[in-house]
Amino acid sequence: MKHTLALTLAAGMLAATFSIPALSADWDMPTPYPDGTFHTVNINAFADEIKKATDGGLNITVHSAGSLIKHGEIKNAVRGGQVQIGEFFLSLLANEDAAYGLDSQPFLATSYAEAAKLWGAQKPVITELLAKQKLVPLYAVPWPPQGLYTNKEIKTVDDLKGLKFRSYNAALEKFATLAGAAPTQVEVPDIPQAFSTGQVEAMITSPSTGANGKAWDYVSHYTPINAWVPKNIVVVNKAAFDALDDATRAAVLEAAAAAEKRGLEMSMKETDAQTAVLEENGMVVLEPSTELLEGLMKIGAQMQAEWQETASEQAKAIVADYAN
C-alpha cells in the first residue's frame, strides 16, 4: 500500500515537472493597406497589445498591403478559415445587403459625429448579418471624410462629365455614373499607375490615402467635399475566436475596444495633418464651391431615394434609427 502510494506521488511530481504548457495560437491577419496607413499602424498596435496581454499566447501576424490576400477576398478568407482574422472596407459588402454600405452613401453622414451616430445604428444589424456567416466583428475605424482628387479645378458637377473615375464599391460606381463620369474599379495600391497610364482621371478618397500614395506625383488638385465618412472593419472567424480560452477572448475584446477608440483619434488627426501634407507637396487644395456642393448633394439625394426602393428592411431600419 505504501509502495503504491509512493509511486503515485512520484508520478504526480513527475507530471507536474513536465506539465504540458498552455496551448498558444498563431493567427494570420491580411489587411489591404500599406504599413504607413494609420489603419495598419493601429492594427499593428492591436496585435502587439494582444501578444503582451496573453504573454505570447496569441500571436497575430499582420500581412499588409494585400500581400497575403487581395482586398476583395479578405472577408471570405476569414469566413472560410483560410485566415483567422482580417480587415476590409465595410461597404465592399453592400452587394450582399444595403446595410453594409450606408457609410458610403453620399452625404448621408459627412462628419465624425454623424459617422459615429450612424455606426451606432449600424452595428447591431451588421453584427447579426456577419453572425450568419460565422464572423464576429471586433471593431471599426472611420477614414477621414472623403475628398475629390482631379487634375483640374472642379467648379460644378458638369466638370466631372466624361472623366474616368476611380470606384471601389457599388455606391461610388453609381455616384460616378450619375455625375456623368466613367467609373473604373481600382484598388489603393494600383492608384498611382492607374493615373499615370490614364486609366483614371479623378477619384474620391481620404487625404490619408492621397498622402500615403504621394498623390502629388500624379494629380494636381484636392477638394475636401466631405462626401462621406466610410470605415474599415476588423472581423474574426467565429470558430477561431471560440477556440480561445476565456482570458484570451477577453484580451482580444479589450484590445479591440482600445483600437476602435485609438483609431478614431488617429483618423481625426489625419484629416488636417494629411491635407496639409498634400498642400506642402504642391497640390492645390480648394474649398468646394457652393455650386459643386449643391450639385453633389442632389446626386446624393437621388441615390438615397433609389436606395430606399431596393434596400432590405434591416437597412431601412438603420436609416430610420439614425434619423431620430
Side-chain angles (χ1 to χ4, degrees):
M1 180 71 177
K2 290 181 179 178
H3 181 68
T4 302
L5 180 60
L7 287 174
T8 302
L9 290 172
M13 292 174 66
L14 188 64
T17 303
F18 296 100
S19 60
I20 299 173
L23 293 176
S24 62
D26 294 302
W27 285 4
D28 286 304
M29 182 175 187
T31 74
Y33 305 99
D35 290 329
T37 303
F38 79 93
H39 282 283
T40 312
V41 173
N42 188 35
I43 283 171
N44 280 316
F46 164 73
D48 288 343
E49 288 179 358
I50 290 173
K51 184 175 182 178
K52 291 176 183 177
T54 62
D55 196 23
L58 176 57
N59 299 295
I60 299 175
T61 300
V62 178
H63 303 271
S64 59
S67 58
L68 181 64
I69 296 172
K70 292 183 181 297
H71 191 176
E73 300 169 2
I74 290 176
K75 188 268 285 184
N76 284 335
V78 179
R79 180 185 182 186
Q82 183 179 349
V83 293
Q84 297 81 12
I85 185 172
E87 176 208 33
F88 54 86
F89 196 68
L90 181 60
S91 61
L92 283 180
L93 308 186
N95 286 335
E96 296 182 17
D97 192 291
Y100 290 116
L102 281 166
D103 60 9
S104 290
Q105 280 293 312
F107 299 98
L108 178 63
T110 60
S111 68
Y112 282 109
E114 291 176 350
K117 183 180 179 183
L118 179 60
W119 178 229
Q122 261 185 307
K123 189 173 182 179
V125 175
I126 297 300
T127 299
E128 182 180 338
L129 289 171
L130 290 175
K132 295 176 181 177
Q133 301 189 45
K134 307 300 182 184
L135 296 170
V136 178
L138 292 180
Y139 71 88
V141 171
W143 287 93
Q146 305 290 282
L148 177 65
Y149 293 77
T150 56
N151 274 311
K152 63 179 181 179
E153 182 178 357
I154 303 298
K155 297 180 180 179
T156 70
V157 170
D158 286 343
D159 293 334
L160 294 172
K161 288 183 177 179
L163 293 182
K164 298 173 185 176
F165 207 100
R166 180 228 172 190
S167 66
Y168 49 70
N169 60 28
L172 187 48
E173 184 173 339
K174 177 81 168 180
F175 185 84
T177 301
L178 290 175
T184 303
Q185 187 82 21
V186 176
E187 289 293 343
V188 169
D190 302 323
I191 289 174
Q193 182 178 0
F195 269 96
S196 298
T197 60
Q199 181 185 358
V200 170
E201 298 171 300
M203 67 177 176
I204 292 178
T205 194
S206 71
S208 298
T209 300
N212 288 330
K214 297 183 179 180
W216 48 85
D217 286 341
Y218 51 83
V219 72
S220 60
H221 288 64
Y222 175 70
T223 308
I225 58 175
N226 295 354
W228 53 85
V229 187
K231 53 186 167 285
N232 288 357
I233 191 167
V234 170
V235 302
V236 62
N237 178 282
K238 188 177 187 301
F241 188 62
D242 289 346
L244 302 174
D245 58 49
D246 291 344
T248 303
R249 281 198 299 271
V252 171
L253 294 175
E254 184 176 348
E260 184 161 290
K261 180 180 179 182
R262 180 176 58 242
L264 174 60
E265 294 169 353
M266 294 172 76
S267 182
M268 293 174 75
K269 290 178 181 177
E270 282 274 307
T271 301
D272 293 335
Q274 299 292 45
T275 300
V277 169
L278 297 177
E279 196 163 21
E280 289 165 6
N281 282 277
M283 289 191 68
V284 179
V285 177
L286 296 169
E287 286 301 313
S289 68
T290 301
E291 292 79 10
L292 176 60
L293 285 179
E294 287 178 349
L296 293 175
M297 290 179 73
K298 285 182 181 178
I299 293 175
Q302 180 180 344
M303 288 182 64
Q304 289 171 36
E306 293 178 2
W307 177 90
Q308 286 283 347
E309 296 176 1
T310 59
S312 66
E313 292 305 314
Q314 286 178 305
K316 292 178 182 178
I318 293 172
V319 173
D321 187 16
Y322 170 67
N324 292 333

